[in-house]
Amino acid sequence: MISTQMLNKEQQEGVLTTEGPVLILAGAGSGKTRVLTNRTAYLIDEKGVSPYNILAITFTNKAAAEMKSRINEIVGFGSDGVWVSTFHSCCVRILRRYVDRMGYDTAFTIYDTDDQKSLMKDICKRLEIDTKMYKEKMFLNAISAAKNELIDPSDFLARAEGDFKQLKIATVYAEYQKQLLKNNAMDFDDLIMKTVELLSVDNEVREYYQERFHYIMVDEYQDTNRAQFMLIKLLAGKYKNLCVVGDDDQSIYKFRGADISNILDFESIYPNAKVIKLEQNYRSTQNILDAANQVIANNRGRKPKALWTEKEAGDRIVFEQFESASEEAYFIANDIKKSVKQAECNYNDCAVLYRTNAQSRLLEERFVANNIPYKLVGGVNFYARKEIKDILAYLKTIDNGKDDIAVTRILNVPRRGIGMTSQNKVMDYAYNKGISFYDALKEGDRVPGLSRAVGKIRPFVDLIENCRDMLFHNSPVKVLEYLIKETGYVEELEAEGTDEAKARIENIDELITKMVDYEQRADEPTLGEFLEEVALVADIDSYDEDGDYVVLMTLHGAKGLEFPRVYMSGMEDGIFPSYMCITADDPDELEEERRLCYVGITRAKSHLTMTAARTRMIRGETQYNAVSRFVKEIPKELLKGYVKKNSTDNMPRSDTFRKAKQAFKSKPFSATPMQTYNNMQRQGIVLDYKEGDRVSHIKFGEGTVQKIVQGGRDFEVTVDFDQVGVKKMFAMFAKLKKV
């Protein structure tokens, strides 16, 4: 029997309201996971619902594992029957059973980003598309967006309406899907789109799963796209016992297709829905929550709510502004080092969050210099490393010989001397006969003009076939070990004798460890299931909370995590919110950026520091940035150090802005304006605009010149830009043009 005494009133209501549609608006740190797990336990223990009839969907494997663990702790025996999974793993499970009804083999391969790029590159080549004019990435992005909206190739073509570019995309989209089917492969977007298609057209399958899932719960509902929305709607179509949990203030994945209207319009779609608000926060101090509340209150597209806590007010938010991004990184590293040295925290209590991955470089360099252990979350994914992708391509070929991308990747890994001319002949033979590339390799002696290359292809085919035979009598890990030995992959790396080669060998060892761990967990381990598990791993799943290191990650990557100490760097207009967002005539874009700021603030439990730089080098050019409008939305009484304080005196002062500033002040102002102007003319600095003129800047757009001050070697120009407000800059660097 479960107890709800440890839950607050609203949490209890979320647990006990089990029938019909329920929307739980769960603010950051309000205990939504506790509600979901206790709700599941209540259904099983108190209402007698079979675990078999409960589905809980999350967005990450990490969240799914945590939910499973908590349910097991509460319910104990029998809780394994609850289907707890991510959207993608849920769909894979359905498709593995029924996708043969749609022309696929149930042993289909799941393509990652690199596989998609390789396939798109082949398609563009086959269709003779100029990739300088039409980038492969553009096609992939357009196709992904279409799939998120459940638009298939024929629908896409119908919507093109004579638009040449859209017609081109439609042609590529159709060929892309054709090749995926031929390779018996799906990309991540297909997993959901094909499941929706299956449930929509196949009454038997739809009725089976609707009857299977009497109760459905969905976490992070604000991050769902249209395809995910339709999937849930179809599965819950019979019993309508649908409980969705989310926070519209944390909807930050519009760029991935997330549709905030799914949560905002829930009551319109389900008119009899019960709405429950969780506003008590168990994570942060009140000052941090007040700052978050004040920032997000500036958004219009939201459901009103305000976080509060029974905790103390806590420290004020620290704000520091520096002359350069280098000084900013210096401060953050020193502050962390000092705090650890004074035993105020451990390294793993600290996280540095930023808007873009590019901001991590200076931080990493400073952390290395200060001997601070750190982990970059969002760097190169383990499974995206070359040696791992090579081995996985072998395993995919063993499991599914129809995957041409996998086969072509490892045909010459290690080198077998099979040239591109021979590969093209095999590819043409496969295309003309309508068979896979691997099946064409097996028929190598029948391929016209292949001649001596047949002898080089045969050992590769024999290796794959031997591994397939081994699977009947051996575990997947035995096959993996045999494969590594027979290919000589590790032997080649050992022969290199470099540190890089050693690191790659260690990665291969880690892959073996991963497979052993999988086999120990699986009831009936199979190679296909292992590959599926690997394909569905998200980068955030690799984050280890027990490791003693500082975490560096983007604000998007930090969602769902919490840290005692958070540093939000790059709090400048033009960085966060981004310049594109500021200049775009779309208030929804700015609101999404503000939600991202809200997410960043609410990651902090007890200490939050925000930093900004007056100058930052972006793509080789120095930008002069004002303090982020989001910082200005925080009441000054909640901030400590709002006025910029100089950084440590022993910092290097050689940044571009400081040089320009020193040059500006280098001569006394006792000279007459005409003499000063003539001096500057001799140095090639001549202005073709004056105060009151309209000018344009390459990044900030158009504005009006408010003031021009003559210095010793340059002009300081103040411009009120239409989109980004007032900025001061030196004429030599600004390169303003009169409009």
Side-chain angles (χ1 to χ4, degrees):
M1 180 178 293
I2 72 161
S3 172
T4 58
Q5 293 180 354
M6 299 298 292
L7 306 177
N8 65 38
K9 179 182 175 183
E10 291 75 21
Q11 289 174 333
Q12 289 181 27
E13 190 176 8
V15 169
L16 302 177
T17 308
T18 59
E19 307 306 303
V22 180
L23 169 61
I24 300 178
L25 290 171
S30 61
K32 65 183 177 65
T33 303
R34 181 189 299 180
V35 172
L36 286 173
T37 51
N38 278 275
R39 192 175 194 273
T40 304
Y42 178 76
L43 286 169
I44 297 170
D45 280 356
E46 302 296 327
K47 301 212 65 177
V49 177
S50 169
Y52 179 84
N53 296 129
I54 301 173
L55 170 66
I57 294 182
T58 67
F59 266 80
T60 67
N61 294 314
K62 189 181 182 72
E66 181 183 359
M67 189 178 295
K68 282 182 183 178
S69 176
R70 291 201 194 182
I71 293 172
N72 287 338
E73 288 177 8
I74 300 173
V75 179
F77 181 77
S79 62
D80 288 346
V82 178
W83 195 341
V84 183
S85 69
T86 64
F87 271 101
H88 289 106
S89 57
C90 171
C91 290
V92 168
R93 195 166 170 180
I94 294 172
L95 293 172
R96 290 286 184 214
R97 184 169 182 177
Y98 291 112
V99 78
D100 53 350
R101 300 186 179 201
M102 302 173 68
Y104 279 82
D105 188 301
T106 53
F108 60 86
T109 296
I110 302 171
Y111 273 7
D112 63 14
T113 304
D114 286 343
D115 297 327
Q116 291 178 266
K117 289 178 182 176
S118 297
L119 178 58
M120 184 56 69
K121 187 175 181 179
D122 291 343
I123 289 172
C124 288
K125 184 178 179 181
R126 184 178 299 123
L127 296 180
E128 298 181 343
I129 291 173
D130 183 357
T131 52
K132 292 181 180 178
M133 182 177 296
Y134 299 103
K135 302 292 185 184
E136 290 104 329
K137 189 174 182 180
M138 181 275 292
F139 287 120
L140 289 171
N141 288 341
I143 291 170
S144 177
K147 289 181 179 180
N148 286 337
E149 292 294 320
L150 298 176
I151 301 170
D152 64 20
S154 59
D155 290 335
F156 197 100
L157 179 61
R159 297 184 185 200
E161 295 182 348
D163 184 307
F164 183 79
K165 183 179 179 180
Q166 294 301 307
L167 289 171
K168 181 76 71 176
I169 295 172
T171 302
V172 172
Y173 186 6
E175 182 64 21
Y176 177 75
Q177 291 305 110
K178 178 182 175 182
Q179 292 303 315
L180 282 175
L181 180 58
K182 174 180 172 291
N183 291 352
N184 194 38
M186 294 189 191
D187 61 25
F188 270 76
D189 297 317
D190 275 328
L191 296 178
I192 298 176
M193 186 177 183
K194 293 296 181 184
T195 305
V196 171
E197 183 182 339
L198 175 67
L199 295 173
S200 299
V201 302
D202 195 309
N203 294 336
E204 182 183 354
V205 175
R206 181 176 66 255
E207 289 170 5
Y208 170 80
Y209 283 105
Q210 285 183 345
E211 186 57 45
R212 166 80 189 263
F213 301 126
H214 292 199
Y215 294 87
I216 297 175
M217 289 170 281
V218 184
D219 195 9
E220 306 288 4
Y221 192 67
Q222 77 280 349
D223 293 332
T224 55
N225 57 34
R226 175 164 176 75
Q228 292 162 335
F229 165 79
M230 285 303 300
L231 173 70
I232 296 304
K233 189 176 182 182
L234 284 165
L235 291 175
K238 182 173 183 179
Y239 289 98
K240 293 185 173 55
N241 294 324
L242 172 62
C243 174
V244 301
V245 183
D247 181 6
D248 51 302
D249 289 336
Q250 296 186 71
S251 179
I252 58 173
Y253 294 122
K254 183 180 179 181
F255 68 99
R256 292 183 188 170
D259 187 350
I260 193 174
S261 66
N262 288 346
I263 191 167
L264 294 178
D265 298 341
F266 188 82
E267 296 151 90
S268 300
I269 298 162
Y270 299 97
N272 60 331
K274 174 74 173 179
V275 180
I276 301 166
K277 292 184 181 181
L278 304 183
E279 296 173 290
Q280 183 175 357
N281 178 282
Y282 295 90
R283 174 190 299 158
S284 308
T285 59
Q286 191 61 54
N287 277 341
I288 291 173
L289 297 181
D290 286 345
N293 289 334
Q294 288 294 324
V295 171
I296 201 64
N298 290 280
N299 273 7
R300 294 184 178 182
R302 64 185 295 262
K303 291 179 179 291
K305 53 189 170 301
L307 297 176
W308 61 275
T309 183
E310 293 180 345
K311 291 184 178 183
E312 71 283 356
D315 296 336
R316 287 183 293 168
I317 289 85
V318 174
F319 176 73
E320 295 280 357
Q321 186 182 20
F322 302 94
E323 293 292 354
S324 70
S326 296
E327 293 183 33
E328 178 190 48
Y330 187 98
F331 166 79
I332 292 173
N334 273 14
D335 198 58
I336 292 174
K337 190 83 172 180
K338 181 184 72 174
S339 299
V340 172
K341 187 176 182 179
Q342 295 177 353
E344 296 175 4
C345 65
N346 297 317
Y347 286 120
N348 63 358
D349 292 328
C350 305
V352 185
L353 311 181
Y354 36 79
R355 181 63 181 84
T356 65
N357 278 309
Q359 293 170 247
S360 72
R361 182 184 64 82
L362 289 173
L363 291 163
E364 288 189 81
E365 289 176 359
R366 184 48 53 188
F367 278 32
V368 170
N370 282 27
N371 199 27
I372 297 174
Y374 72 91
K375 180 169 183 179
L376 186 67
V377 178
V380 179
N381 186 296
F382 175 78
Y383 297 105
R385 300 178 190 274
K386 181 185 182 303
E387 60 276 11
I388 301 303
K389 285 191 70 66
D390 286 345
I391 300 299
L392 289 177
Y394 267 106
L395 296 178
K396 288 177 182 179
T397 302
I398 295 166
D399 185 60
N400 170 26
K402 295 180 180 179
D403 185 355
D404 290 355
I405 299 297
V407 180
T408 53
R409 179 184 180 93
I410 43 90
L411 182 58
N412 265 317
V413 179
R415 297 180 186 87
R416 296 185 173 89
I418 305 169
M420 283 306 302
T421 301
S422 298
Q423 291 185 48
N424 288 336
K425 288 177 181 178
V426 176
M427 190 67 76
D428 290 341
Y429 178 81
Y431 189 78
N432 292 330
K433 289 201 67 176
I435 60 177
S436 70
F437 183 72
Y438 180 72
D439 285 340
L441 290 173
K442 290 167 68 176
E443 299 179 12
D445 52 354
R446 301 179 189 175
V447 177
L450 204 54
S451 60
R452 288 181 299 176
V454 175
K456 300 174 182 178
I457 291 172
R458 178 53 55 191
F460 171 77
V461 173
D462 289 343
L463 173 63
I464 300 301
E465 294 302 313
N466 288 339
C467 289
R468 287 180 172 179
D469 291 339
M470 281 187 66
L471 280 175
F472 287 106
H473 310 289
N474 296 274
S475 66
V477 75
K478 293 294 183 184
V479 175
L480 174 58
E481 291 170 341
Y482 171 79
L483 174 69
I484 292 171
K485 179 183 177 183
E486 290 300 309
T487 57
Y489 200 106
V490 170
E491 289 180 9
E492 281 198 3
L493 291 174
E494 288 174 339
E496 288 183 23
T498 63
D499 290 341
E500 181 185 352
K502 183 180 178 182
R504 293 173 66 187
I505 293 171
E506 291 172 351
N507 287 336
I508 293 173
D509 291 340
E510 182 62 24
L511 181 65
I512 296 173
T513 301
K514 166 67 179 176
M515 186 176 278
V516 170
D517 174 66
Y518 156 73
E519 288 189 359
Q520 291 174 347
R521 289 183 284 104
D523 294 330
E524 297 181 12
T526 66
L527 179 57
E529 189 176 64
F530 171 75
L531 291 170
E532 174 187 312
E533 183 172 301
V534 165
L536 296 175
V537 168
D539 189 52
I540 192 63
D541 295 325
S542 66
Y543 167 56
D544 178 12
E545 295 178 3
D546 297 324
D548 192 21
Y549 48 72
V550 179
V551 174
L552 303 180
M553 59 169 55
T554 64
L555 286 149
H556 281 102
K559 188 166 172 295
L561 302 177
E562 59 183 47
F563 305 90
R565 288 173 174 259
V566 168
Y567 296 81
M568 293 175 66
S569 66
M571 297 301 295
E572 306 135 34
D573 270 7
I575 301 296
F576 187 37
S578 69
Y579 173 73
M580 293 297 291
C581 170
I582 294 171
T583 56
D585 188 21
D586 185 357
D588 291 343
E589 294 290 335
L590 184 59
E591 294 211 349
E592 174 122 347
E593 290 279 287
R594 187 174 282 109
R595 291 194 292 269
L596 187 57
C597 183
Y598 173 84
V599 166
I601 294 171
T602 54
R603 298 312 94 196
K605 297 170 73 173
S606 56
H607 189 86
L608 174 63
T609 298
M610 292 179 163
T611 59
R614 281 195 169 92
T615 66
R616 189 178 298 273
M617 188 76 75
I618 304 292
R619 291 179 294 278
E621 297 181 4
T622 300
Q623 286 189 3
Y624 307 94
N625 301 319
V627 173
S628 171
R629 63 195 63 200
F630 300 148
V631 175
K632 295 175 182 177
E633 289 171 356
I634 300 173
K636 290 186 178 181
E637 60 268 22
L638 297 176
L639 289 172
K640 177 182 178 182
Y642 182 81
V643 179
K644 188 264 174 185
K645 295 188 293 186
N646 289 328
S647 51
T648 52
D649 292 335
N650 60 346
M651 280 294 298
R653 308 287 191 194
S654 59
D655 58 277
T656 305
F657 181 84
R658 190 173 295 282
K659 285 181 178 178
K661 193 171 184 179
Q662 289 171 347
F664 178 73
K665 296 179 178 179
S666 62
K667 290 191 176 183
F669 283 87
S670 56
T672 64
M674 184 56 68
Q675 288 172 326
T676 306
Y677 183 76
N678 289 336
N679 286 338
M680 287 184 281
Q681 273 191 315
R682 284 196 293 271
Q683 296 193 38
I685 306 173
V686 180
L687 303 185
D688 64 350
Y689 51 83
K690 60 184 184 298
E691 292 180 3
D693 283 351
R694 295 284 291 172
V695 293
S696 67
H697 184 274
I698 190 170
K699 288 199 175 0
F700 302 140
E702 294 187 5
T704 303
V705 178
Q706 289 187 332
K707 188 176 182 183
I708 300 176
V709 178
Q710 299 171 347
R713 297 179 185 174
D714 200 352
F715 291 98
E716 183 181 72
V717 185
T718 303
V719 183
D720 183 2
F721 289 103
D722 299 341
Q723 299 291 340
V724 297
V726 177
K727 287 188 177 293
K728 288 184 179 181
M729 55 194 67
F730 297 111
M732 189 190 320
F733 298 97
K735 297 178 181 177
L736 298 168
K737 293 183 179 180
K738 186 176 179 180
V739 178

